[in-house]
Amino acid sequence: MRLLVVEDEKSLRDDITKKLRLDGYEADACGDGNEARELLAVERYDLVLLDINLPGADGMTILREFRTVNYETPVLILSARSEITDKVEGLDAGANDYLTKPFSVEELLARLRVTARRLAMMQANNANESVFRNGKLRVDYAAGSAYMDEEELHLTPIEYKLLCLLSQNVPISQKYRKSSDTYLYYTKNLGQELG
Ligand code: CA
């Protein structure tokens, strides 16, 4: 399982990353919002740990942007903000879980195991079905069409293909990633299409 740790507090970032690796995870780490954006645009992660207050771009903005192109990858927010409205905002923006600082890294690892199990179950269910559903989105692989709120989306073939790949959570093939500009262009377009 490959994770991205986005946290600008170096000691916390190093502590989390070290323990994740000891626990058998592959982990990339960065402390800047813009760097996180770039990594999320070109790399594939199974899970993202995301701080909210960051230099560059803040975590909530990163999360909202990421969710326009990726509905699948779980995002766990790490934040010093403990206000209930902030939690709701994070969950509304598409976070899967929320940890308030200070937290123990052991608690974080326990939450990760739960999220990983949920993810494995979801992937197993999706693999058995010819239809993918997530929120308002439905992809009918057999019919070769996609729907939002049961309204058919008018996607170009490459956008449809990207949506299938994203919904199946498989790495985007080199063909589509040859130029990351092209990849960004299509995923951005697709994001707009999906609203
Ligand atoms: Ca921070």
Side-chain angles (χ1 to χ4, degrees), residues 18-107:
K18 195 175 114 197
K19 286 186 177 148
L20 283 174
R21 288 178 183 153
L22 282 174
D23 229 42
Y25 295 95
E26 235 186 283
D28 284 355
C30 73
D32 177 271
N34 285 325
E35 200 185 331
R37 274 171 156 161
E38 282 167 28
L39 284 170
L40 288 171
V42 295
E43 302 290 339
R44 289 293 290 186
Y45 295 103
D46 299 300
L47 194 138
V48 181
L49 301 176
L50 182 64
D51 182 23
I52 294 297
N53 293 318
L54 290 163
D58 74 282
M60 217 62 93
T61 305
I62 296 170
L63 176 59
R64 287 207 180 90
E65 280 176 9
F66 185 55
R67 279 292 179 248
T68 64
V69 294
N70 183 315
Y71 285 78
E72 287 291 287
T73 307
V75 176
L76 207 155
I77 288 180
L78 313 174
S79 177
R81 301 181 187 179
S82 59
E83 298 289 316
I84 190 85
T85 48
D86 289 327
K87 282 189 189 179
V88 171
E89 194 190 345
L91 295 171
D92 274 351
N96 299 72
D97 206 350
Y98 203 107
L99 261 178
T100 305
K101 293 176 197 172
F103 55 81
S104 73
V105 178
E106 282 64 33
E107 186 188 355

Side-chain angles (χ1 to χ4, degrees), residues 71-154:
Y71 285 78
E72 287 291 287
T73 307
V75 176
L76 207 155
I77 288 180
L78 313 174
S79 177
R81 301 181 187 179
S82 59
E83 298 289 316
I84 190 85
T85 48
D86 289 327
K87 282 189 189 179
V88 171
E89 194 190 345
L91 295 171
D92 274 351
N96 299 72
D97 206 350
Y98 203 107
L99 261 178
T100 305
K101 293 176 197 172
F103 55 81
S104 73
V105 178
E106 282 64 33
E107 186 188 355
L108 170 66
L109 291 173
R111 298 268 193 110
L112 276 183
R113 284 190 284 273
V114 173
T115 309
R117 271 202 300 274
R118 247 187 248 149
L119 182 69
M121 271 171 62
M122 257 178 62
Q123 282 172 344
N125 286 341
N126 285 339
N128 290 333
E129 286 172 9
S130 60
V131 174
F132 167 84
R133 284 174 202 278
N134 194 331
K136 294 171 178 176
L137 175 72
R138 177 164 70 89
V139 184
D140 188 331
Y141 302 126
S145 42
Y147 307 84
M148 182 63 85
D149 261 343
E150 292 311 312
E151 222 170 277
E152 187 165 1
L153 295 170
H154 301 287

